[in-house]
Amino acid sequence: MSMLHLILNGRPVDIDVPESRYLSEVLRNDLGLTGTKIGCNEAECGICTVLVNGTPIESCVFPAFKAQGATVETIESLSQDGELHPLQQAFLDHGAVQCGICTPGVIMTAKALLDEKGASLTDDEISVALKDTYCRCTGYQSVIRAIRQAAGQNVAPLLPNIQPAGDSIGRPHPNPQSRAKIMGRARYTDDYRFPGMLYARTKRAGVPHARIRSINTAAARNLPGVRAVLTHEDVPGHNRHGLVIDDWPVLCDDKVRYAGDAVAIVAADSDEVAAAALERIRVEYDELPVVSDAIAATKPDAPLVHEGRDNGNLLRHIKVDKGDIEAGFAAADAIVDQTYRTPATEHLFLEPECSIAVPGGYNPEDFGGTLDRNAARGETATHDKTTIYVGSQIPYQDRGQTAAALGVEPDAVRVVATLTGGGFGGKEDITGQIHTALLAEKTQRPVKMLYSRQESLLVHPKRHATVIRIRTGAKSDGTLTAVEATLYGDAGAYASLSEKVLTRATTHAAGPYDVPNVKVDCFAIYTNNAPSGAFRGFGVTQSCFAVESNMDMLAEKLGLDAAEIRRVNALDIGRATSTGQVLRESAGLNECIDMVDVGMRGKDFHWTWEEGNSRFAWGLAVAYKNTGLGGGAPDRAGAEVEVWRDGNDSIRAEVRTSSAEMGQGLPAVLAACVAEELGIPMDNVDVLLGDTDYCPDGGPTTASRQTFVSGNAARLAARKAAKKLANASSAQSVRARYDYDAPQTRALGTGGDMHFAFSFCAQAALVEIDMDTGEVHVRKVIAAHDVGRTINPLTLQGQIEGGIVMCIGYTLTEHYIQEQGKPWTDVMARYKMPSITHTPAITSHIVEHPTSGGPYGAKGVGELPSIPTSAAICNAIYRATGVRVRSLPVDQDELLRAIRTGADEIELAWGDLEPIPTIALGCER
Amino acid sequence: MANASPNRWDRYYTPATVAEAIELLQQYDGQARVVGGGTDLLVETRRGLHRPAQAMVDVTNIGGLDTITSDDGHIVMGCGVTHSQIVTNALIIERGSCLAESCSVIGGPQVRNVGTLAGNVAHALPAGDGTIGLLALGGEIEVAGEGGSHWMPLQESFKGPGKSFIDRHRQILTRLRFTPTAEREGSAHHRVMRPQGLCLPIISMGVRVKLDDDDTISAVRISMGPVGPVPYLAETAMDVLVGGPATPEQFRQAAEVALNSVSLRASKYRASHEYREQMVRTFLPMILNRAVERAQGTGL
């Protein structure tokens, strides 16, 4: 230990700490300044940025003693005497805060820039300064606007041009938690420190496929400071979890099926001791042959990932059949038949997974803490049952799965949702929830398990890698006559949500078009890769790339305009989806196409042109995405609203549901719905999300469903509460609960409505290709989204900008590479999400075709913006260069080779080593 | 003494003088490691890629070695000088353009604010941008150790990929210097990257050109990486250019000769052999041209 002296946020600080500390650790752990967040510990993501002597540095790899004697500024210093710093105010005004985990780092990086440049700063300077400070949610456009406003430039928040539907509905409003986030006061799971808390780590398999011969934990148990080491033998209940099929071991028993499998868990007095204990656990394996490719895994002699199944590695064969496929192609004047490949990708939410479990009977006083008898949750509260603090997308399923593993009833477990630093589908499956609960009950202490970024990359489910062959036929006027497709999806080692995701890929494989004859076969296949699961777009992102690439090829063959061929076939009222669902309302695709088409075709419009060594071109793509679970699954959300009059006789309310906020803006949506019903200002509505003892089940936060289902539940609960309040005395608070059931849907293959609503969009991308290097830049995106009804234009704009930029990453930068079941992408430095330098100018139009069942007509939009961008970009690349991209992400090396040799397509993406395999169409029925 | 925690150190020193730093290294007898900004070293250390050191000797706080000075016909940079200092230094922007350009593309701002040119050089990566820039300028480095200090040409410090002849447990790279470009001289740097998950250049190239009064090239240096285990000085291409006119044809010729004299490799997920070749063909003439324009006083 040595004395470290800092001038921290204007005050001298002397603290005795080990010289081996990094600055981020001293700030967060030793000084309790948890406003500074840690995303990677690799100096890659920049969210840990603080100012040392006025200069931005990444505190995660900055030795604390390197700052000896220096001035250090963190987010906590920014607002003085309750006054927000101009940057903080601007981030609120512009909705530049979503999940908020990056916000302190982004703001501190921007502050140094602002201090240096003042009012004159330019977009280019912002782009240079923030190049390595990443944000996964916003797409950066709102961040740029906010920084310019803070610099004193006259920049208004960019909002869609809509007519507000109410006093709260349709009005811009920051998310209720945003204020805490910009001040560094928002608490994510890793920011909690319970008295007596232990630190846990997981022993990972490291090998992709092996039979476990023995697990020896004796040496780890004997290490001083180790409180518990658990293996499968210590799981009292069901040693499996899974959202659809319970095939995922809590702790592996007979074998391991991917490199990230959990074999043992340790709780110790410190994270260092826990890490050291892992090194002392000896696991003997008999390694098994590895299957790491979905198509190879279907071969009769392929190694079996799960033994004893009738279908080998085939997890599910999903089919869509409509009309007569042969007659459809016979009627076609032109046919395009092409095979595409899409990569596994990583959510890269900037907050790595973290869970804390607190044992039943916990009293902080037993560990030297203070007790607050009024506290319902947190470090000063008692806990009467096993309680898990986690930023999760599905609190109630976490509860159920944890209870099953503990061998107790679900209501013997409580899940408290903390703020979530990004999810995007990647925080639906179990990670540390069960492990910490087991360790907490074993040790009778709170236990925290924080994944390192590298562990996060290894463990959680990815977006499905796919190979997709699509044959599309059309008449000479562009009318589609038939679509036939085969999809292979790599499900990885465990089922997770593969069946659901790939069902969505399958049902959307004819695009948002009325196609009379459709035949699609999709195979979800187990492999020894990391499991695949939910990821914004939920399978549709993959099939849309293929569908919309084929549409442009078909248009070219037929000599048709790209917008026109889409208009001819666009789904509309009275037209039918590939599953035979006839749309009766809320189908604004044609209007979306028109708005984008008009926006794109200004004066002197050209599809493509040259400037210097660059070629520019526009590309167009459209998409649709279901709102809600659909397919016959009951789709229910409950909400409770409590209403009371405060001391000034103003009506106040709190709405409670266990839906999840991960940055998408749900609290503001719920508050708007309740405020609208009660006729009160939104600021009078508090939102409590995700405490399974206090909030009704909102169901999973997935499938772009929460605005629709929880929005409805909140609205209808508020309506009930308003009636009660009218009859209550002024001193009384009233409560009402509403369990909203979305309209009944039908299972795939049974006809009728598979979904209760669809959202539609069109996007045009202006792309620049550097003809010297093959580098691709997206310069502009014009988008139009039919969202039914706008609830909050500020957060809606953020969802659209962020979704588009995320899909730019899918198209140009991202590939989670696995080699024979081992991730090559094992550090964040090997996975690049879009930085501020990738963000294009975005013009977002909103189309409102209300859906009758939605709250005020709204339907989901969380996923939709992240679906068609890849095809729009690749259609533009084709127009600029004559090269059709068949595999993502686009490789500049391959693209330049094709440009130089005159090749008309590329099938190797960045990270691909093998050509796209040939797959057959026309699976026997 | 055992290390307190894995992939860390027990003591972190920030000596104020070179003598004090050398004394610490002697005292630890190979168990201490010199660290500059640490933006590469500490990331690698965290990942367990280096043998544990008992102590880190941070040389960025040494008095007088955190500045850029003009001295005896040289521009001299102390080992505490960061990439950001170089990028914003008016003298280097004007009279060592290729170093300013090469340092400006390293990492992001936070890394440039902390990472040092001395660290970039001592890391000895085959394509460290700052190193490539300094190599083109004909840079020299000063190495201090137990027996005193001496200046040496930069290119003599490279031993292999990531390996330097500077013993980072016993010696300190204290200063770096180059002769600024004079009248009729210019320099330039260019790098090609990819946007995916690799932070290493596909190709990084620097040039320094001197013109006679009749615009004949009288002297030239061309540095490139990665084209082999160490940063490469393209001497055959330099020979082609010296004494000839500064024309596009000559520049193209120089690129071909450079390509003939090296074996560009394909590296998985980074670049094909052909792509690298193409980038040399495209950008070596481009930066030669830019350096010539600067020498003529017509370029930016």
Side-chain angles (χ1 to χ4, degrees):
Chain A
M1 303 283 270
S2 298
M3 198 53 83
L4 176 68
H5 173 72
L6 305 171
I7 307 292
L8 177 61
N9 296 334
R11 291 204 329 269
V13 168
D14 291 284
I15 182 165
D16 198 19
V17 291
E19 290 184 24
S20 57
R21 288 270 207 280
Y22 286 102
L23 183 57
S24 57
E25 296 164 338
V26 170
L27 292 172
R28 287 181 55 82
N29 304 338
D30 298 312
L31 295 168
L33 293 178
T34 55
T36 301
K37 307 302 181 189
I38 306 298
C40 66
N41 277 327
E42 292 180 32
E44 278 294 320
C45 74
I47 73 169
C48 65
T49 298
V50 302
L51 308 188
V52 171
N53 293 332
T55 302
I57 62 99
E58 283 165 296
S59 60
C60 75
V61 288
F62 197 90
F65 281 79
K66 194 177 178 62
Q68 181 70 273
T71 296
V72 177
E73 292 167 75
T74 69
I75 188 75
E76 286 90 351
S77 70
L78 239 54
S79 57
Q80 299 288 340
D81 309 322
E83 279 285 295
L84 292 182
H85 185 279
L87 272 168
Q88 293 172 315
Q89 186 62 53
F91 271 61
L92 272 188
D93 295 345
H94 289 263
V97 189
Q98 289 188 25
C99 86
I101 194 83
C102 75
T103 304
V106 172
I107 288 183
M108 293 312 289
T109 311
K111 180 188 183 274
L113 176 71
L114 209 58
D115 288 349
E116 185 193 341
K117 305 279 181 187
S120 69
L121 65 81
T122 64
D123 284 3
D124 277 352
E125 286 166 342
I126 295 170
S127 181
V128 168
L130 270 77
K131 173 183 166 277
D132 271 8
T133 310
Y134 286 86
C135 170
R136 190 56 155 166
C137 296
T138 62
Y140 305 102
Q141 286 294 330
S142 56
V143 170
I144 295 170
R145 292 191 293 270
I147 295 172
R148 289 181 52 204
Q149 173 185 308
Q153 299 174 16
N154 188 12
V155 185
L158 191 57
L159 297 173
N161 185 17
I162 53 130
Q163 281 302 318
D167 294 330
S168 293
I169 300 301
R171 310 281 175 180
H173 204 280
N175 226 16
Q177 301 146 330
S178 297
R179 200 178 164 86
K181 289 174 179 175
I182 51 153
M183 297 180 79
R185 291 180 186 167
R187 294 213 302 161
Y188 303 79
T189 313
D190 186 37
D191 301 331
Y192 288 77
R193 290 172 79 195
F194 287 82
M197 192 172 78
L198 304 177
Y199 296 82
R201 290 224 186 182
T202 309
K203 180 76 177 173
R204 301 289 168 191
V207 293
H209 198 193
R211 209 160 287 289
I212 297 172
R213 210 187 312 150
S214 67
I215 306 172
N216 186 336
T217 60
R221 284 175 210 273
N222 292 336
L223 191 67
V226 170
R227 302 292 183 125
V229 183
L230 306 183
T231 68
H232 64 92
E233 292 176 348
D234 304 300
V235 179
H238 186 44
N239 187 27
R240 292 289 185 277
H241 64 84
L243 290 166
V244 179
I245 301 170
D246 55 345
D247 63 355
W248 196 334
V250 174
L251 289 165
C252 289
D253 35 39
D254 56 338
K255 61 186 242 180
V256 297
R257 295 176 185 83
Y258 85 110
D261 254 329
V263 180
I265 47 178
V266 174
D269 289 341
S270 73
D271 186 43
E272 289 80 6
V273 172
L278 290 190
E279 301 295 316
R280 294 173 177 230
I281 297 172
R282 296 278 166 261
V283 187
E284 288 184 305
Y285 294 108
D286 290 322
E287 292 206 33
L288 297 167
V290 172
V291 58
S292 59
D293 172 275
I295 294 168
T298 60
K299 300 275 173 350
D301 57 346
L304 289 177
V305 180
H306 297 266
E307 287 89 355
R309 301 181 73 256
D310 291 342
N311 298 321
N313 290 322
L314 176 65
L315 168 58
R316 190 95 157 91
H317 178 186
I318 303 147
K319 303 168 204 167
V320 167
D321 287 289
K322 179 187 181 189
D324 178 343
I325 196 73
E326 286 181 14
F329 282 114
D333 295 317
I335 294 172
V336 169
D337 182 350
Q338 190 65 277
T339 307
Y340 303 89
R341 175 165 53 196
T342 67
T345 57
E346 154 69 29
H347 307 78
L348 217 71
F349 34 73
L350 282 170
E351 178 212 23
E353 297 89 338
C354 188
S355 298
I356 299 173
V358 181
Y362 174 77
N363 180 342
E365 285 181 325
D366 297 344
F367 300 95
T370 49
L371 175 67
D372 173 0
R373 293 198 183 279
N374 295 321
R377 57 192 76 80
E379 290 99 326
T380 58
T382 56
H383 290 66
D384 62 351
K385 59 174 85 167
T386 312
T387 303
I388 300 159
Y389 290 78
V390 62
S392 160
Q393 292 184 232
I394 322 185
Y396 269 82
Q397 265 171 295
D398 287 356
R399 184 180 81 152
Q401 296 189 84
T402 304
L406 293 177
V408 299
E409 290 303 310
D411 61 8
V413 174
R414 175 183 175 195
V415 173
V416 177
T418 48
L419 287 178
T420 305
F424 315 110
K427 288 179 180 168
E428 298 191 19
D429 301 84
I430 288 289
T431 48
Q433 293 91 326
I434 297 175
H435 291 161
T436 50
L438 291 169
L439 288 165
E441 286 307 321
K442 180 78 180 178
T443 61
Q444 285 299 300
R445 280 170 174 258
V447 174
K448 177 190 280 186
M449 181 180 278
L450 168 68
Y451 285 4
S452 68
R453 172 59 59 190
Q454 299 71 34
E455 189 173 19
S456 175
L457 284 166
L458 174 70
V459 173
H460 75 246
K462 311 301 171 197
R463 191 192 290 281
H464 290 76
T466 64
V467 176
I468 304 176
R469 178 173 172 185
I470 297 199
R471 188 168 182 239
T472 313
K475 288 190 169 300
S476 56
D477 67 354
T479 309
L480 293 170
T481 60
V483 170
E484 186 172 20
T486 301
L487 297 82
Y488 280 85
D490 182 350
Y494 298 108
S496 178
L497 286 155
S498 277
E499 180 184 333
K500 308 287 181 196
V501 171
L502 292 171
T503 296
R504 221 63 78 230
T506 310
T507 58
H508 287 63
Y513 303 119
D514 186 353
V515 188
N517 307 294
V518 180
K519 182 179 182 191
V520 189
D521 292 280
C522 176
F523 304 96
I525 312 287
Y526 281 122
T527 68
N528 294 118
N529 287 328
S532 302
F535 195 149
R536 194 181 202 174
F538 212 77
V540 186
T541 305
Q542 290 95 317
S543 53
C544 178
F545 168 60
V547 168
E548 289 295 286
S549 296
N550 261 23
M551 286 301 280
D552 255 35
M553 294 175 75
L554 205 50
E556 188 190 19
K557 248 187 167 172
L558 293 168
L560 295 172
D561 180 85
E564 195 48 40
I565 194 171
R566 290 174 168 88
R567 274 194 200 97
V568 167
N569 296 291
L571 283 174
D572 208 338
I573 292 168
R575 294 187 128 185
T577 69
S578 68
T579 66
Q581 176 171 352
V582 179
L583 302 182
R584 295 182 296 276
E585 56 162 16
S586 190
L589 179 56
N590 272 305
E591 197 178 331
C592 290
I593 295 172
D594 289 347
M595 291 191 96
V596 165
D597 203 24
V598 168
M600 176 177 74
R601 289 180 216 253
K603 206 156 51 107
D604 298 329
F605 172 75
H606 298 283
W607 279 105
T608 180
W609 69 92
E610 286 187 45
E611 271 175 42
N613 298 327
S614 290
R615 285 216 189 126
F616 289 79
W618 284 98
L620 185 72
V622 300
Y624 76 141
K625 176 72 182 63
N626 58 292
T627 296
L629 303 175
D635 206 345
R636 165 178 276 214
E640 182 180 81
V641 171
E642 183 166 357
V643 187
W644 66 95
R645 289 191 173 85
D646 68 10
N648 303 322
D649 209 32
S650 303
I651 295 176
R652 297 196 62 90
E654 181 170 87
V655 53
R656 301 169 193 133
T657 168
S658 275
S659 318
E661 162 65 2
M662 45 187 160
Q664 82 277 30
L666 182 66
V669 166
L670 299 176
C673 291
V674 170
E676 191 72 30
E677 289 304 321
L678 298 176
I680 61 176
M682 263 180 78
D683 288 335
N684 285 15
V685 183
D686 294 327
V687 181
L688 176 64
L689 288 184
D691 182 328
T692 56
D693 271 13
Y694 287 81
C695 306
D697 188 1
T701 299
T702 187
S704 306
R705 67 186 278 281
Q706 288 297 10
T707 291
F708 194 105
V709 292
S710 289
N712 265 330
R715 180 176 71 99
L716 296 167
R719 193 172 287 177
K720 256 169 94 172
K723 282 194 191 131
K724 282 191 179 176
L725 188 71
N727 302 322
S729 74
S730 64
Q732 270 182 313
S733 87
V734 298
R735 265 193 229 195
R737 174 174 168 151
Y738 195 95
D739 288 302
Y740 172 76
D741 287 299
Q744 182 68 41
T745 56
R746 303 284 298 271
L748 174 59
T750 61
D753 287 2
M754 195 175 161
H755 294 289
F756 52 76
F758 292 98
S759 297
F760 297 87
C761 76
Q763 293 181 8
L766 174 64
V767 166
E768 176 182 359
I769 290 111
D770 184 325
M771 300 298 280
D772 285 334
T773 62
E775 286 168 278
V776 179
H777 298 279
V778 183
R779 296 303 182 198
K780 204 179 277 185
V781 173
I782 299 173
H785 290 75
D786 170 19
V787 303
R789 183 69 78 203
T790 304
I791 304 286
N792 185 340
L794 185 67
T795 52
L796 171 61
Q797 181 81 17
Q799 283 296 290
I800 288 171
E801 291 177 355
I804 287 169
V805 173
M806 188 172 265
C807 200
I808 289 174
Y810 186 60
T811 317
L812 298 181
T813 68
E814 300 182 28
H815 190 171
Y816 180 81
I817 300 173
Q818 300 175 87
E819 296 175 332
Q820 283 301 304
K822 290 199 177 174
W824 177 84
T825 313
D826 58 354
V827 290
M828 190 166 166
R830 288 182 161 181
Y831 195 91
K832 284 280 187 264
M833 66 170 126
S835 79
I836 198 168
T837 60
H838 293 98
T839 180
I842 295 171
T843 305
S844 168
H845 302 287
I846 294 302
V847 170
E848 296 185 303
H849 286 220
T851 185
S852 53
Y856 314 98
K859 48 193 182 181
V861 71
E863 301 170 276
L864 185 64
S866 217
I867 292 173
T869 325
S870 57
I873 293 168
C874 291
N875 286 338
I877 291 173
Y878 177 79
R879 221 169 248 121
T881 63
V883 180
R884 173 59 55 189
V885 175
R886 292 210 281 130
S887 185
L888 298 177
V890 181
D891 181 28
Q892 69 201 51
D893 190 330
E894 280 294 311
L895 180 59
L896 186 68
R897 190 203 315 270
I899 290 169
R900 292 180 53 81
T901 60
D904 60 2
E905 60 170 29
I906 52 177
E907 63 171 322
L908 292 181
W910 178 70
D912 290 344
L913 300 175
E914 303 290 333
I916 300 174
T918 305
I919 57 174
L921 290 171
C923 186
E924 288 291 320
R925 286 287 187 269
Chain B
M1 178 190 155
N3 221 227
S5 48
N7 308 330
R8 297 280 174 111
W9 51 87
D10 295 320
R11 302 298 310 271
Y12 195 91
Y13 296 99
T14 50
T17 65
V18 174
E20 197 185 320
I22 301 282
E23 200 182 304
L24 280 165
L25 294 175
Q26 277 176 290
Q27 189 187 313
Y28 276 90
D29 193 22
Q31 299 304 309
R33 170 142 193 156
V34 176
V35 59
T39 49
D40 279 335
L41 177 65
L42 297 177
V43 171
E44 293 173 0
T45 300
R46 268 202 112 123
R47 290 177 60 192
L49 301 179
H50 295 288
R51 70 179 167 91
Q54 285 179 10
M56 289 288 185
V57 178
D58 182 323
V59 295
T60 59
N61 256 6
I62 294 175
L65 292 185
D66 56 354
T67 53
I68 299 166
T69 54
S70 225
D71 178 39
D72 194 21
H74 289 101
I75 292 175
V76 184
M77 299 156 286
C79 58
V81 169
T82 63
H83 300 299
S84 291
Q85 278 174 278
I86 290 170
V87 172
T88 53
N89 183 278
L91 190 62
I92 295 182
I93 291 170
E94 196 188 326
R95 302 190 62 188
S97 317
C98 87
L99 182 62
E101 286 173 345
S102 66
C103 289
S104 77
V105 295
I106 292 173
Q110 291 97 323
V111 165
R112 292 196 294 275
N113 288 339
V114 177
T116 62
L117 180 61
N120 191 279
V121 164
H123 197 187
L125 291 177
D129 291 299
T131 306
I132 294 291
L134 187 63
L135 185 57
L137 289 170
E140 296 173 297
I141 58 175
E142 182 190 51
V143 180
E146 209 170 331
S149 70
H150 64 281
W151 284 95
M152 65 192 281
L154 172 61
Q155 67 260 44
E156 288 177 15
S157 70
F158 308 127
K159 195 179 195 175
K163 292 193 170 62
S164 166
F165 283 109
I166 305 165
D167 180 346
R168 284 163 287 190
H169 297 92
R170 297 179 188 277
Q171 293 179 312
I172 301 165
L173 195 177
T174 43
R175 292 188 290 174
L176 313 97
R177 71 181 182 193
F178 64 94
T179 52
T181 51
E183 282 287 295
R184 307 292 292 164
E185 272 197 290
S187 71
H189 174 268
H190 189 75
R191 180 185 79 171
V192 180
M193 287 285 278
R194 60 162 63 247
Q196 295 93 7
L198 269 174
C199 303
L200 299 167
I202 288 173
I203 192 90
S204 181
M205 295 178 288
V207 299
R208 174 176 185 153
V209 177
K210 182 174 177 137
L211 299 177
D212 278 342
D213 290 341
D214 63 354
D215 278 357
T216 303
I217 294 176
S218 62
V220 63
R221 287 175 65 89
I222 300 173
S223 61
M224 301 166 70
V227 299
V230 300
Y232 179 70
L233 203 57
E235 288 174 346
T236 52
M238 286 150 50
D239 290 346
V240 166
L241 289 168
V242 171
T247 59
E249 182 45 45
Q250 282 291 100
F251 299 160
R252 273 197 294 275
Q253 183 66 21
E256 290 307 320
V257 169
L259 287 173
N260 284 334
S261 65
V262 297
S263 55
L264 289 174
R265 289 178 311 129
S267 32
K268 193 172 65 169
Y269 306 140
R270 193 161 156 198
S272 65
H273 157 78
E274 296 84 355
Y275 190 79
R276 283 214 167 100
E277 275 196 357
Q278 191 55 37
M279 294 305 101
V280 172
R281 285 199 178 96
T282 303
F283 292 107
L284 184 53
M286 185 198 86
I287 55 173
L288 281 165
N289 187 58
R290 200 194 302 156
V292 164
E293 286 176 357
R294 285 172 177 162
Q296 292 167 332
T298 56
L300 292 170

